[in-house]
Amino acid sequence: MAFFSLCLLIITAALQVAGQTTPVAEAPAPAADDCNGIFLQYVFTSGSKIKPTLKTRQPYKFQSILSITNNGLDELKLWRVFVGFQHDEILVSASNAVLADGESFPALVGNGTVFAGFPVADLKTAVETAGDTTQTTAQIKIVGTQFGVGSPNVPMPSNISLENDGFICPKPSMQGKSVMQVCCNKDSHSKTNLTLGEKFSPRQDGDLTIMYDMLRTYDSNYWAQVTIANHNPLGRLDNWKLSWDWMNDEFIWEMKGAYPSVVDTSECVFGPQANFYQNLDFSTGLNCQRRPTLIDLPLEKTNDTKLGMIPFCCRNGTILPPAMDPSKSVSAFQMNVFKMPPDLNRSSFTPPQNWKIEGRLNPDYKCGPPVRVSPTQVPDPSGLLPATSVFASWQVVCNITQPKGASPRCCVSFSAFYNESIIPCPTCSCGCPSNTARTCSTKAPALLLPSQALLVPFDNRTKMSLAWADINHLPVSNPLPCGDNCGVSINWHLFTDYRGGWSARITIFNWEDAAFADWFTAVELDKAAAGFDAVYSFNGTMLDGVNNTIFMQGLPGLNYIVAEADGANPEKDPRVPGKQQSVISFTKKNIPNINIPAGDGFPTKLYFNGEECSLPKVLPTSSSSRMSSFTVTTSILAAVVVFMLVRQ
């Protein structure tokens, strides 16, 4: 009877295994025992079909485990692991880790992503822990959605590798269909800036750094100062918005120097915070969102005794490059944060994760996780006593990136003295409209323009551009090309060319409803920058540390570009953009072989307020540098036609 029961149990187990529709994780090979470096293993554990049911791009839930084991002799600090997801994965959760680029869950990771350790960012060695795997190994349980890979196929990543400096990872090996593993070893030729035995990680350089400093600490709450510092000569933020994720149900009670974009404590009232702080009047708090968004205060709040009085606060969200004004390249604020269990003692803190900062018509920044660094030194307000250290400090490093598929927010048009037509901003430079009142082509090249057309909005240029095309026998697409959809456009015009030098004119057009204060533009001229001489209406200089780039900003009293406004007669006149203009002169002394009509005088890159603008793909031709009498007559006729159209 016992033998029969045993057989029945075996048969039942076999049937259960045969009936599974998802692969079962195979036992890992003994490669971990042979690895004396950092052993990485990715195991697909299960998957299942989820709704909706589709003929293409069927979604599937997947679960997997990523393991990082330190088998070396040195502690692995601030571990980072890249997983090459390749099936349009959406990560829903990951235990014991955060995404190193600061994204919150759910996150699109179809092009791969980097995990960073949280709350434990360092892995000790077996030698110093007597083989305690809880201190030498991190295990990340991953849950997400992938598309198109159903049973019996397995949605494995293309690669796994250690991202820490100083390590070399060979191509990972497969153990069956559902286990990928690799052993990464130290690169004997690499030098890192991490010193063994240091209590804190060294501070890193970046385009933008954010410090999270603990100023005062109590059992249930603390005061923190957040300091944002710009280090990039072309980086900038306007009306900055800063957001992060609280990890342990913390909430903001009070702030000085900044404010939440939403003042709302209802999530505390209906959440665990109200159960724990039963005697707290939440109506006087500020924000209980798990992911708050914080904004700067206006300038008039600088000396407000309740909301201001914080050094570097209250700039209306503007952070300038240090070359423009070092005192305006930093922004800071303070806040009172209430903690939740288990962080209920003075020495227990959990900094927020998944930091993100953005501005209006500024570069895109990607921020890493906060890293514990040596405590910041705070100067004594009176100046009589030595500086003191804060209780704890974390550093967040953000770098300028160009997200895949992102569109610029400014564009450039080209023109020259030797060609009457202006090459406008490319079609859909700053993205195509999601819906439009009229049909337009997103692929057709933009129509060449007369110079007057630059002064009117795109929607008012149709008659002018069609008349210009008719006069000059230029091709016209059907449907007509879409506009550039940019808030700022810049015209670069080759003004003169003579034996000893040449000149250009730059004109900035603001098509937005908001003005730009303390604006700047930077022009990269690979072939012509060495001949830079002077800018006449702006303050211009060659930028140190950035190759072939001329940095220009408004002179005192002219550092303001007004917003787009109504025309003189709003009923029939088009709206008028804000505008700034200057001429730039160059010499040919250091670059005698420069050829201006061949295009050497056009920018290779152009930036406005730190955002790289879209450039035309073609240059004006010099075939009409000598105007015939017929050309002069045509120009006069074109000017008359354009004038009549504008009047209509």
Side-chain angles (χ1 to χ4, degrees):
M1 187 67 180
F3 175 75
F4 176 77
S5 300
L6 179 61
C7 291
L8 184 61
L9 181 62
I10 294 173
I11 293 172
T12 302
L15 289 173
Q16 289 177 345
V17 172
Q20 288 181 348
T21 59
T22 57
V24 178
E26 302 176 21
D33 296 334
D34 300 330
C35 178
N36 288 327
I38 308 301
F39 182 73
L40 308 179
Q41 185 182 70
Y42 181 94
V43 181
F44 174 80
T45 58
S46 67
S48 59
K49 185 177 179 180
I50 58 178
K51 295 293 184 181
T53 301
L54 304 173
K55 292 182 179 180
T56 59
R57 278 182 55 83
Q58 174 61 45
Y60 296 87
K61 175 183 177 179
F62 75 95
Q63 293 178 283
S64 55
I65 297 176
L66 174 67
S67 300
I68 305 99
T69 302
N70 184 5
N71 287 342
L73 291 174
D74 299 322
E75 183 177 4
L76 178 64
K77 288 183 172 292
L78 305 176
W79 66 260
R80 306 278 196 282
V81 172
F82 171 78
V83 178
F85 293 113
Q86 57 179 338
H87 303 291
D88 295 333
E89 287 88 347
I90 301 173
L91 288 192
V92 176
S93 65
S95 64
N96 301 319
V98 294
L99 299 183
D101 63 0
E103 287 294 322
S104 299
F105 297 118
L108 301 173
V109 296
N111 293 317
T113 192
V114 176
F115 291 94
F118 175 82
V120 179
D122 305 331
L123 295 179
K124 297 185 179 298
T125 67
V127 173
E128 62 182 324
T129 63
D132 183 359
T133 57
T134 62
Q135 300 183 64
T136 64
T137 300
Q139 193 174 80
I140 297 90
K141 295 181 180 179
I142 300 170
V143 179
T145 300
Q146 54 89 9
F147 294 87
V149 183
S151 179
N153 297 318
V154 181
M156 295 295 288
S158 61
N159 182 38
I160 55 173
S161 62
L162 188 67
E163 289 292 291
N164 294 62
D165 293 336
F167 286 87
I168 298 177
C169 299
K171 182 179 179 180
S173 62
M174 292 295 299
Q175 304 295 319
K177 292 184 177 181
S178 58
V179 177
M180 177 181 287
Q181 55 193 30
V182 65
C183 180
C184 302
N185 292 291
K186 277 196 168 183
D187 183 359
S188 58
H189 302 290
S190 176
K191 294 181 179 180
T192 66
N193 58 358
L194 289 177
T195 303
L196 296 177
E198 285 189 348
K199 186 176 180 181
F200 302 108
S201 299
R203 300 186 181 216
Q204 303 292 320
D205 296 326
D207 294 324
L208 191 82
T209 58
I210 306 175
M211 292 302 304
Y212 193 77
D213 297 316
M214 299 293 181
L215 302 179
R216 301 187 295 277
T217 177
Y218 311 96
D219 286 344
S220 61
N221 65 91
Y222 62 82
W223 275 90
Q225 176 162 298
V226 179
T227 307
I228 310 166
N230 181 22
H231 307 287
N232 188 292
L234 296 179
R236 178 192 176 113
L237 284 165
D238 291 281
N239 304 118
W240 58 254
K241 295 180 180 179
L242 180 65
S243 58
W244 59 59
D245 287 335
W246 294 117
M247 306 307 287
N248 291 329
D249 295 324
E250 297 94 334
F251 56 96
I252 301 173
W253 191 254
E254 185 180 351
M255 293 188 71
K256 295 172 70 70
Y259 221 66
S261 61
V262 175
V263 177
D264 182 13
T265 57
S266 60
E267 292 187 28
C268 282
V269 173
F270 298 103
Q273 297 89 341
N275 292 331
F276 184 79
Y277 293 102
Q278 296 185 5
N279 297 323
L280 203 60
D281 180 9
F282 284 98
S283 66
T284 60
L286 287 182
N287 186 279
C288 290
Q289 293 175 311
R290 185 179 184 275
R291 186 171 183 84
T293 297
L294 310 177
I295 57 177
D296 198 10
L297 291 176
L299 186 63
E300 54 266 25
K301 296 296 182 181
T302 302
N303 296 318
D304 189 294
T305 55
K306 182 179 179 180
L307 297 176
M309 304 299 291
I310 303 295
F312 306 111
C313 87
C314 314
R315 302 277 176 75
N316 203 30
T318 297
I319 302 177
L320 301 178
M324 288 186 69
D325 188 339
S327 68
K328 294 182 180 180
S329 66
V330 178
S331 188
F333 61 89
Q334 295 180 5
M335 60 181 180
N336 182 210
V337 179
F338 271 73
K339 301 184 290 185
M340 289 284 288
D343 292 337
L344 295 178
N345 61 68
R346 293 172 182 260
S347 60
S348 180
F349 320 103
T350 300
Q353 299 287 323
N354 303 327
W355 292 63
K356 183 177 182 179
I357 190 166
E358 56 187 352
R360 179 177 70 96
L361 211 152
N362 296 137
D364 291 297
Y365 293 87
K366 283 289 186 182
C367 301
V371 175
R372 184 78 179 266
V373 295
S374 58
T376 300
Q377 297 290 307
V378 180
D380 176 61
S382 66
L384 301 176
L385 300 176
T388 58
S389 298
V390 300
F391 290 99
S393 296
W394 286 264
Q395 184 193 44
V396 178
V397 177
C398 306
N399 289 304
I400 295 174
T401 62
Q402 183 66 27
K404 184 179 180 180
S407 299
R409 281 159 285 194
C410 56
C411 64
V412 180
S413 61
F414 285 161
S415 57
F417 64 88
Y418 50 75
N419 196 311
E420 297 173 271
S421 293
I422 291 176
I423 298 178
C425 291
T427 303
C428 294
S429 293
C430 301
C432 290
S434 56
N435 51 30
T436 178
R438 62 183 180 85
T439 301
C440 62
S441 172
T442 61
K443 303 295 183 181
L447 298 180
L448 300 183
L449 300 173
S451 58
Q452 297 89 336
L454 291 178
L455 293 169
V456 298
F458 177 83
D459 290 339
N460 299 88
R461 295 178 185 175
T462 304
K463 290 184 178 180
M464 304 172 82
S465 57
L466 289 176
W468 188 253
D470 185 52
I471 292 172
N472 291 277
H473 307 290
L474 302 173
V476 176
S477 65
N478 186 14
L480 294 174
C482 297
D484 54 66
N485 298 302
C486 295
V488 170
S489 61
I490 299 173
N491 175 248
W492 181 267
H493 177 75
L494 296 184
F495 199 46
T496 61
D497 181 28
Y498 50 94
R499 182 186 296 261
W502 62 284
S503 65
R505 183 182 65 217
I506 183 172
T507 309
I508 305 169
F509 301 95
N510 179 14
W511 303 100
E512 296 208 335
D513 294 329
F516 289 99
D518 295 318
W519 60 269
F520 77 84
T521 186
V523 183
E524 180 183 296
L525 294 159
D526 282 348
K527 297 181 179 180
F532 171 68
D533 180 31
V535 180
Y536 295 100
S537 300
F538 301 158
N539 183 10
T541 183
M542 288 293 293
L543 198 60
D544 292 335
V546 181
N547 294 333
N548 305 316
T549 300
I550 304 169
F551 187 90
M552 292 175 280
Q553 58 181 308
L555 295 169
L558 298 174
N559 60 341
Y560 198 83
I561 303 179
V562 300
E564 186 184 44
D566 288 332
N569 186 346
E571 293 184 358
K572 66 176 183 177
D573 293 336
R575 288 173 64 82
V576 179
K579 182 168 69 76
Q580 287 274 19
Q581 185 180 79
S582 181
V583 172
I584 312 166
S585 63
F586 299 83
T587 70
K588 296 180 180 179
K589 182 178 180 181
N590 300 323
I591 41 177
N593 296 324
I594 190 170
N595 190 337
I596 298 302
D600 291 351
F602 286 103
T604 47
K605 289 184 180 180
L606 195 148
Y607 300 84
F608 179 79
N609 279 0
E611 173 76 7
E612 184 175 350
C613 303
S614 171
L615 300 178
K617 295 181 173 58
V618 296
L619 303 177
T621 60
S622 58
S623 58
S624 58
S625 56
R626 294 187 177 182
M627 296 176 62
S628 63
S629 59
F630 173 77
T631 305
V632 173
T633 304
T634 303
S635 300
I636 295 173
L637 178 60
V640 172
V641 171
V642 169
F643 176 77
M644 294 295 292
L645 288 171
V646 172
R647 294 298 298 170
Q648 289 176 1

mmCIF file of all heavy atoms in Angstrom, residues 411 424-433 436 438-447 449 457-462 480-487 614:
data_model
loop_
_atom_site.group_PDB
_atom_site.id
_atom_site.type_symbol
_atom_site.label_atom_id
_atom_site.label_comp_id
_atom_site.label_asym_id
_atom_site.label_seq_id
_atom_site.Cartn_x
_atom_site.Cartn_y
_atom_site.Cartn_z
ATOM 1 N N CYS A 411 14.550 75.516 -32.523
ATOM 2 C CA CYS A 411 15.040 75.160 -33.852
ATOM 3 C C CYS A 411 15.718 76.360 -34.490
ATOM 4 O O CYS A 411 15.586 77.502 -34.031
ATOM 5 C CB CYS A 411 13.905 74.645 -34.731
ATOM 6 S SG CYS A 411 12.626 75.872 -35.085
ATOM 7 N N PRO A 424 13.953 77.315 -43.622
ATOM 8 C CA PRO A 424 13.314 77.403 -42.302
ATOM 9 C C PRO A 424 13.684 76.224 -41.414
ATOM 10 O O PRO A 424 14.410 75.317 -41.811
ATOM 11 C CB PRO A 424 11.827 77.394 -42.648
ATOM 12 C CG PRO A 424 11.750 76.600 -43.907
ATOM 13 C CD PRO A 424 13.024 76.882 -44.676
ATOM 14 N N CYS A 425 13.149 76.261 -40.206
ATOM 15 C CA CYS A 425 13.306 75.117 -39.303
ATOM 16 C C CYS A 425 12.741 73.867 -39.974
ATOM 17 O O CYS A 425 11.737 73.930 -40.687
ATOM 18 C CB CYS A 425 12.552 75.362 -37.997
ATOM 19 S SG CYS A 425 13.264 76.659 -36.967
ATOM 20 N N PRO A 426 13.355 72.711 -39.740
ATOM 21 C CA PRO A 426 12.838 71.479 -40.354
ATOM 22 C C PRO A 426 11.414 71.176 -39.898
ATOM 23 O O PRO A 426 10.975 71.568 -38.811
ATOM 24 C CB PRO A 426 13.819 70.412 -39.853
ATOM 25 C CG PRO A 426 15.059 71.154 -39.519
ATOM 26 C CD PRO A 426 14.618 72.490 -39.023
ATOM 27 N N THR A 427 10.693 70.477 -40.745
ATOM 28 C CA THR A 427 9.327 70.053 -40.425
ATOM 29 C C THR A 427 9.315 69.246 -39.124
ATOM 30 O O THR A 427 10.131 68.350 -38.935
ATOM 31 C CB THR A 427 8.761 69.202 -41.568
ATOM 32 O OG1 THR A 427 8.824 69.948 -42.780
ATOM 33 C CG2 THR A 427 7.338 68.782 -41.288
ATOM 34 N N CYS A 428 8.392 69.590 -38.239
ATOM 35 C CA CYS A 428 8.229 68.881 -36.956
ATOM 36 C C CYS A 428 9.527 68.834 -36.157
ATOM 37 O O CYS A 428 9.833 67.826 -35.509
ATOM 38 C CB CYS A 428 7.694 67.471 -37.180
ATOM 39 S SG CYS A 428 6.010 67.408 -37.829
ATOM 40 N N SER A 429 10.313 69.921 -36.192
ATOM 41 C CA SER A 429 11.562 69.970 -35.420
ATOM 42 C C SER A 429 11.329 69.635 -33.956
ATOM 43 O O SER A 429 12.110 68.912 -33.335
ATOM 44 C CB SER A 429 12.185 71.366 -35.526
ATOM 45 O OG SER A 429 12.625 71.633 -36.824
ATOM 46 N N CYS A 430 10.275 70.185 -33.399
ATOM 47 C CA CYS A 430 9.989 70.004 -31.979
ATOM 48 C C CYS A 430 8.800 69.073 -31.762
ATOM 49 O O CYS A 430 8.066 69.179 -30.774
ATOM 50 C CB CYS A 430 9.732 71.353 -31.319
ATOM 51 S SG CYS A 430 11.130 72.493 -31.468
ATOM 52 N N GLY A 431 8.617 68.137 -32.686
ATOM 53 C CA GLY A 431 7.529 67.181 -32.565
ATOM 54 C C GLY A 431 6.362 67.546 -33.461
ATOM 55 O O GLY A 431 6.128 68.716 -33.762
ATOM 56 N N CYS A 432 5.638 66.539 -33.893
ATOM 57 C CA CYS A 432 4.479 66.757 -34.751
ATOM 58 C C CYS A 432 3.224 66.902 -33.899
ATOM 59 O O CYS A 432 3.137 66.336 -32.807
ATOM 60 C CB CYS A 432 4.306 65.589 -35.726
ATOM 61 S SG CYS A 432 5.607 65.532 -36.982
ATOM 62 N N PRO A 433 2.251 67.659 -34.374
ATOM 63 C CA PRO A 433 1.017 67.823 -33.586
ATOM 64 C C PRO A 433 0.263 66.510 -33.475
ATOM 65 O O PRO A 433 0.202 65.729 -34.428
ATOM 66 C CB PRO A 433 0.229 68.869 -34.385
ATOM 67 C CG PRO A 433 0.762 68.760 -35.778
ATOM 68 C CD PRO A 433 2.208 68.385 -35.650
ATOM 69 N N THR A 436 -4.492 67.977 -35.632
ATOM 70 C CA THR A 436 -4.396 69.271 -36.302
ATOM 71 C C THR A 436 -5.691 69.568 -37.030
ATOM 72 O O THR A 436 -6.377 68.666 -37.503
ATOM 73 C CB THR A 436 -3.208 69.291 -37.276
ATOM 74 O OG1 THR A 436 -3.173 70.555 -37.932
ATOM 75 C CG2 THR A 436 -3.323 68.188 -38.318
ATOM 76 N N ARG A 438 -5.991 70.995 -39.820
ATOM 77 C CA ARG A 438 -5.859 70.756 -41.248
ATOM 78 C C ARG A 438 -4.853 69.639 -41.471
ATOM 79 O O ARG A 438 -3.982 69.394 -40.655
ATOM 80 C CB ARG A 438 -5.409 72.022 -41.973
ATOM 81 C CG ARG A 438 -4.036 72.526 -41.530
ATOM 82 C CD ARG A 438 -3.679 73.821 -42.234
ATOM 83 N NE ARG A 438 -2.379 74.309 -41.810
ATOM 84 C CZ ARG A 438 -1.232 73.924 -42.344
ATOM 85 N NH1 ARG A 438 -1.227 73.008 -43.299
ATOM 86 N NH2 ARG A 438 -0.091 74.434 -41.923
ATOM 87 N N THR A 439 -4.950 68.976 -42.587
ATOM 88 C CA THR A 439 -4.037 67.897 -42.909
ATOM 89 C C THR A 439 -2.687 68.483 -43.312
ATOM 90 O O THR A 439 -2.613 69.435 -44.079
ATOM 91 C CB THR A 439 -4.600 67.054 -44.069
ATOM 92 O OG1 THR A 439 -5.867 66.542 -43.678
ATOM 93 C CG2 THR A 439 -3.670 65.910 -44.398
ATOM 94 N N CYS A 440 -1.618 67.913 -42.790
ATOM 95 C CA CYS A 440 -0.280 68.351 -43.165
ATOM 96 C C CYS A 440 0.640 67.147 -43.193
ATOM 97 O O CYS A 440 0.373 66.116 -42.572
ATOM 98 C CB CYS A 440 0.255 69.418 -42.211
ATOM 99 S SG CYS A 440 0.453 68.873 -40.500
ATOM 100 N N SER A 441 1.735 67.277 -43.914
ATOM 101 C CA SER A 441 2.697 66.194 -44.077
ATOM 102 C C SER A 441 3.807 66.335 -43.042
ATOM 103 O O SER A 441 4.410 67.403 -42.903
ATOM 104 C CB SER A 441 3.291 66.220 -45.479
ATOM 105 O OG SER A 441 4.356 65.294 -45.586
ATOM 106 N N THR A 442 4.071 65.248 -42.327
ATOM 107 C CA THR A 442 5.146 65.259 -41.338
ATOM 108 C C THR A 442 6.490 64.909 -41.959
ATOM 109 O O THR A 442 7.518 65.021 -41.293
ATOM 110 C CB THR A 442 4.839 64.257 -40.211
ATOM 111 O OG1 THR A 442 4.748 62.935 -40.769
ATOM 112 C CG2 THR A 442 3.530 64.611 -39.525
ATOM 113 N N LYS A 443 6.495 64.484 -43.219
ATOM 114 C CA LYS A 443 7.727 64.056 -43.883
ATOM 115 C C LYS A 443 8.217 65.052 -44.923
ATOM 116 O O LYS A 443 9.401 65.097 -45.236
ATOM 117 C CB LYS A 443 7.509 62.698 -44.559
ATOM 118 C CG LYS A 443 7.045 61.586 -43.620
ATOM 119 C CD LYS A 443 8.097 61.255 -42.585
ATOM 120 C CE LYS A 443 7.654 60.091 -41.694
ATOM 121 N NZ LYS A 443 8.660 59.777 -40.656
ATOM 122 N N ALA A 444 7.324 65.838 -45.509
ATOM 123 C CA ALA A 444 7.721 66.756 -46.575
ATOM 124 C C ALA A 444 8.650 67.833 -46.030
ATOM 125 O O ALA A 444 8.466 68.324 -44.909
ATOM 126 C CB ALA A 444 6.485 67.401 -47.204
ATOM 127 N N PRO A 445 9.669 68.224 -46.792
ATOM 128 C CA PRO A 445 10.567 69.290 -46.327
ATOM 129 C C PRO A 445 9.836 70.615 -46.233
ATOM 130 O O PRO A 445 8.907 70.896 -47.000
ATOM 131 C CB PRO A 445 11.659 69.318 -47.402
ATOM 132 C CG PRO A 445 11.029 68.723 -48.613
ATOM 133 C CD PRO A 445 10.054 67.702 -48.122
ATOM 134 N N ALA A 446 10.254 71.439 -45.277
ATOM 135 C CA ALA A 446 9.626 72.747 -45.091
ATOM 136 C C ALA A 446 9.848 73.611 -46.326
ATOM 137 O O ALA A 446 10.881 73.529 -46.994
ATOM 138 C CB ALA A 446 10.207 73.419 -43.851
ATOM 139 N N LEU A 447 8.865 74.464 -46.638
ATOM 140 C CA LEU A 447 8.952 75.344 -47.799
ATOM 141 C C LEU A 447 9.925 76.483 -47.531
ATOM 142 O O LEU A 447 9.970 77.042 -46.422
ATOM 143 C CB LEU A 447 7.577 75.917 -48.130
ATOM 144 C CG LEU A 447 6.474 74.918 -48.514
ATOM 145 C CD1 LEU A 447 5.180 75.663 -48.805
ATOM 146 C CD2 LEU A 447 6.895 74.100 -49.725
ATOM 147 N N LEU A 449 11.338 80.250 -47.545
ATOM 148 C CA LEU A 449 10.568 81.422 -47.128
ATOM 149 C C LEU A 449 11.239 82.712 -47.565
ATOM 150 O O LEU A 449 12.472 82.780 -47.683
ATOM 151 C CB LEU A 449 10.420 81.441 -45.604
ATOM 152 C CG LEU A 449 9.716 80.269 -44.927
ATOM 153 C CD1 LEU A 449 9.831 80.410 -43.424
ATOM 154 C CD2 LEU A 449 8.267 80.194 -45.361
ATOM 155 N N PRO A 457 3.754 84.037 -37.172
ATOM 156 C CA PRO A 457 3.605 82.645 -36.750
ATOM 157 C C PRO A 457 3.440 81.714 -37.945
ATOM 158 O O PRO A 457 3.027 82.134 -39.035
ATOM 159 C CB PRO A 457 2.341 82.673 -35.882
ATOM 160 C CG PRO A 457 2.187 84.094 -35.467
ATOM 161 C CD PRO A 457 2.726 84.918 -36.584
ATOM 162 N N PHE A 458 3.727 80.435 -37.742
ATOM 163 C CA PHE A 458 3.690 79.475 -38.842
ATOM 164 C C PHE A 458 2.319 79.433 -39.507
ATOM 165 O O PHE A 458 2.214 79.366 -40.736
ATOM 166 C CB PHE A 458 4.066 78.078 -38.338
ATOM 167 C CG PHE A 458 3.982 77.022 -39.405
ATOM 168 C CD1 PHE A 458 5.021 76.826 -40.293
ATOM 169 C CD2 PHE A 458 2.838 76.230 -39.542
ATOM 170 C CE1 PHE A 458 4.937 75.873 -41.291
ATOM 171 C CE2 PHE A 458 2.740 75.274 -40.538
ATOM 172 C CZ PHE A 458 3.800 75.095 -41.409
ATOM 173 N N ASP A 459 1.258 79.473 -38.732
ATOM 174 C CA ASP A 459 -0.087 79.366 -39.301
ATOM 175 C C ASP A 459 -0.431 80.539 -40.212
ATOM 176 O O ASP A 459 -1.382 80.456 -41.001
ATOM 177 C CB ASP A 459 -1.130 79.259 -38.185
ATOM 178 C CG ASP A 459 -1.051 77.927 -37.466
ATOM 179 O OD1 ASP A 459 -0.495 76.980 -38.057
ATOM 180 O OD2 ASP A 459 -1.520 77.836 -36.320
ATOM 181 N N ASN A 460 0.326 81.650 -40.090
ATOM 182 C CA ASN A 460 0.065 82.815 -40.933
ATOM 183 C C ASN A 460 1.037 82.915 -42.115
ATOM 184 O O ASN A 460 1.045 83.912 -42.828
ATOM 185 C CB ASN A 460 0.161 84.096 -40.095
ATOM 186 C CG ASN A 460 -0.859 84.135 -38.977
ATOM 187 O OD1 ASN A 460 -0.586 83.645 -37.893
ATOM 188 N ND2 ASN A 460 -2.028 84.702 -39.235
ATOM 189 N N ARG A 461 1.850 81.884 -42.298
ATOM 190 C CA ARG A 461 2.860 81.944 -43.357
ATOM 191 C C ARG A 461 2.411 81.279 -44.657
ATOM 192 O O ARG A 461 3.134 81.336 -45.653
ATOM 193 C CB ARG A 461 4.156 81.253 -42.902
ATOM 194 C CG ARG A 461 4.861 81.922 -41.751
ATOM 195 C CD ARG A 461 6.103 81.126 -41.369
ATOM 196 N NE ARG A 461 6.746 81.665 -40.190
ATOM 197 C CZ ARG A 461 7.792 81.110 -39.592
ATOM 198 N NH1 ARG A 461 8.294 79.976 -40.088
ATOM 199 N NH2 ARG A 461 8.325 81.659 -38.530
ATOM 200 N N THR A 462 1.277 80.630 -44.668
ATOM 201 C CA THR A 462 0.907 79.795 -45.808
ATOM 202 C C THR A 462 0.880 80.590 -47.111
ATOM 203 O O THR A 462 1.514 80.211 -48.106
ATOM 204 C CB THR A 462 -0.456 79.135 -45.567
ATOM 205 O OG1 THR A 462 -0.400 78.391 -44.348
ATOM 206 C CG2 THR A 462 -0.795 78.199 -46.704
ATOM 207 N N LEU A 480 0.636 70.220 -47.618
ATOM 208 C CA LEU A 480 1.755 71.064 -47.231
ATOM 209 C C LEU A 480 2.440 70.502 -45.993
ATOM 210 O O LEU A 480 1.828 69.796 -45.193
ATOM 211 C CB LEU A 480 1.266 72.485 -46.959
ATOM 212 C CG LEU A 480 0.705 73.267 -48.149
ATOM 213 C CD1 LEU A 480 0.135 74.595 -47.688
ATOM 214 C CD2 LEU A 480 1.789 73.473 -49.197
ATOM 215 N N PRO A 481 3.733 70.805 -45.803
ATOM 216 C CA PRO A 481 4.434 70.297 -44.616
ATOM 217 C C PRO A 481 3.890 70.901 -43.328
ATOM 218 O O PRO A 481 3.391 72.032 -43.311
ATOM 219 C CB PRO A 481 5.883 70.724 -44.860
ATOM 220 C CG PRO A 481 5.800 71.860 -45.818
ATOM 221 C CD PRO A 481 4.614 71.583 -46.685
ATOM 222 N N CYS A 482 3.975 70.128 -42.250
ATOM 223 C CA CYS A 482 3.588 70.629 -40.930
ATOM 224 C C CYS A 482 4.601 71.670 -40.461
ATOM 225 O O CYS A 482 5.690 71.810 -41.026
ATOM 226 C CB CYS A 482 3.516 69.482 -39.924
ATOM 227 S SG CYS A 482 2.279 68.219 -40.283
ATOM 228 N N GLY A 483 4.249 72.377 -39.427
ATOM 229 C CA GLY A 483 5.143 73.383 -38.873
ATOM 230 C C GLY A 483 6.240 72.770 -38.031
ATOM 231 O O GLY A 483 6.332 71.549 -37.865
ATOM 232 N N ASP A 484 7.073 73.631 -37.459
ATOM 233 C CA ASP A 484 8.164 73.136 -36.607
ATOM 234 C C ASP A 484 7.692 72.899 -35.180
ATOM 235 O O ASP A 484 8.296 72.130 -34.443
ATOM 236 C CB ASP A 484 9.341 74.115 -36.629
ATOM 237 C CG ASP A 484 8.940 75.537 -36.256
ATOM 238 O OD1 ASP A 484 8.545 75.757 -35.104
ATOM 239 O OD2 ASP A 484 9.035 76.431 -37.110
ATOM 240 N N ASN A 485 6.620 73.587 -34.746
ATOM 241 C CA ASN A 485 6.032 73.419 -33.403
ATOM 242 C C ASN A 485 7.020 73.728 -32.281
ATOM 243 O O ASN A 485 7.003 73.093 -31.223
ATOM 244 C CB ASN A 485 5.480 71.997 -33.234
ATOM 245 C CG ASN A 485 4.374 71.690 -34.216
ATOM 246 O OD1 ASN A 485 3.361 72.369 -34.260
ATOM 247 N ND2 ASN A 485 4.580 70.673 -35.046
ATOM 248 N N CYS A 486 7.886 74.703 -32.510
ATOM 249 C CA CYS A 486 8.897 75.069 -31.516
ATOM 250 C C CYS A 486 8.502 76.359 -30.801
ATOM 251 O O CYS A 486 7.990 77.294 -31.427
ATOM 252 C CB CYS A 486 10.260 75.243 -32.178
ATOM 253 S SG CYS A 486 10.936 73.723 -32.879
ATOM 254 N N GLY A 487 8.781 76.406 -29.519
ATOM 255 C CA GLY A 487 8.513 77.614 -28.751
ATOM 256 C C GLY A 487 9.524 78.713 -29.008
ATOM 257 O O GLY A 487 9.234 79.897 -28.817
ATOM 258 N N SER A 614 17.278 72.103 -33.034
ATOM 259 C CA SER A 614 17.282 71.377 -34.295
ATOM 260 C C SER A 614 17.813 72.279 -35.407
ATOM 261 O O SER A 614 17.415 73.447 -35.524
ATOM 262 C CB SER A 614 15.861 70.911 -34.631
ATOM 263 O OG SER A 614 15.784 70.390 -35.936
#
